[in-house]
Amino acid sequence: MDLGIAGKTALIAASTGGLGLAVARALAAEGVRVAIIGRRRDRAKEIVEELHAAYGIGSLGSTGFDALAIEADLTTPEGIESAVQQTVADLGPIDILVLNGPGPKPGAAATLSTDDIAAAFDLLVKPHHALVKHILPGMRERRWGRILAIGSSGVSAPLPNLAVSNTGRAALAGYLKTLAAEVALDEVTVNLLLPGRIATDRVTQLDQAAAKRRGTTLEDIQLESRKTIPARRYGEPAEFGAAAAFLCSAPASYITGVALRCDGGLIRSL
């Protein structure tokens, strides 16, 4: 399928690792100009070199592929403004915005502090709202845009011991669902992609924390977790990236306001 996004420009938040990087790689493979953004400048540069080696400038014909490394802290207004300005200056107007960020610390709901609740919004809502505020007007003016948030299966079914994440991600989902209806006439889609157990460093960290909490091994936790997944395995980042690329595509123009799960059947509700 021709996804029809070659030559488009994408800003992918927190894309120096994990699911953000998986999405960046999938979009780059489609000829999208990608801004790789994170706090680790050296890592961002390594990824850009990797993408140029794979899809080198000009190797995709007239697609206009390019990649840009940006060091920025997207939890700050200054970092957001800098990342947006650099992306537009070097790659052009932003057509695709991928919202992503680090997951907050584990913890039970009964022990949440006021600071924990504030952190849920500071990490998972405010930065994404600020990015949308900067980028959405241009999308509406050009009458084409894709906004995709990398969420969590906790949006569909809150996950044990991830109270901060469950709180913040649910709030973001409510905001984006409302936004999707408001901008549909402008040919801008707004969706969420919800990972289940995808084999990333973040999931390994959560499994290690569970193993320590329960006094068992990482291998035992992973085996137990796989048994809860109908596919009986963790997902691959590339599988998640492929789903994201489709939701950002031209053929997906009639899909908006959706929270799509990429979880191997983990969440049993429809």
Side-chain angles (χ1 to χ4, degrees):
M1 179 184 292
D2 180 2
L3 297 189
I5 50 178
K8 298 289 189 183
T9 294
L11 185 157
I12 305 126
S15 47
T16 55
L19 297 178
L21 176 55
V23 174
R25 285 172 170 157
L27 291 176
E30 296 298 326
V32 175
R33 301 182 182 106
V34 293
I36 305 298
I37 301 173
R39 301 181 190 182
R40 298 175 293 171
R41 179 189 296 273
D42 290 344
R43 180 56 181 146
K45 289 182 176 180
E46 288 174 1
I47 293 166
V48 166
E49 290 174 0
E50 168 204 316
L51 296 176
H52 280 158
Y55 310 111
I57 300 174
S59 67
L60 298 179
S62 60
T63 62
F65 165 77
D66 200 357
L68 173 67
I70 299 176
E71 179 183 11
D73 181 354
L74 296 182
T75 64
T76 68
E78 298 80 13
I80 289 170
E81 185 171 350
S82 174
V84 171
Q85 288 179 349
Q86 288 184 63
T87 301
V88 172
D90 288 7
L91 300 180
I94 297 166
D95 306 294
I96 298 168
L97 170 60
V98 180
L99 302 172
N100 185 35
K105 65 179 182 180
T111 59
L112 285 183
S113 67
T114 302
D115 288 343
D116 290 331
I117 293 295
F121 285 85
D122 289 344
L123 288 174
L124 299 173
V125 180
K126 289 182 179 179
H128 300 324
H129 170 262
L131 281 166
V132 170
K133 187 176 179 181
H134 276 80
I135 295 168
L136 178 60
M139 292 180 173
R140 300 182 83 173
E141 182 179 348
R142 295 187 300 276
R143 296 190 60 78
W144 201 98
R146 300 288 183 266
I147 297 173
L148 179 66
I150 298 176
S152 162
S153 56
V155 171
S156 297
L159 301 171
N161 205 51
L162 287 177
V164 176
S165 176
N166 292 336
T167 300
R169 295 189 193 282
L172 178 65
Y175 162 66
L176 293 176
K177 176 63 175 177
T178 306
L179 180 66
E182 295 173 357
V183 301
L185 280 176
D186 298 313
E187 304 296 334
V188 176
T189 69
V190 183
N191 293 297
L192 293 95
L193 186 57
L194 311 180
R197 308 293 289 175
I198 309 294
T200 64
D201 290 343
R202 164 70 171 169
V203 168
T204 299
Q205 290 169 1
L206 292 174
D207 285 346
Q208 288 172 334
K212 182 177 181 180
R213 189 171 63 251
R214 294 169 52 184
T216 186
T217 66
L218 173 63
E219 291 72 20
D220 284 343
I221 291 294
Q222 292 174 333
L223 177 60
E224 181 180 308
S225 182
R226 287 195 294 271
K227 290 179 179 179
T228 68
I229 305 169
R232 292 295 186 269
R233 64 178 178 86
Y234 285 13
E236 293 298 326
E239 294 173 308
F240 186 89
F246 176 73
L247 288 175
C248 294
S249 74
S253 59
Y254 203 57
I255 301 174
T256 195
V258 166
L260 175 68
R261 295 195 296 270
C262 182
D263 66 358
L266 174 65
I267 302 300
R268 302 307 174 94
S269 61
L270 290 174

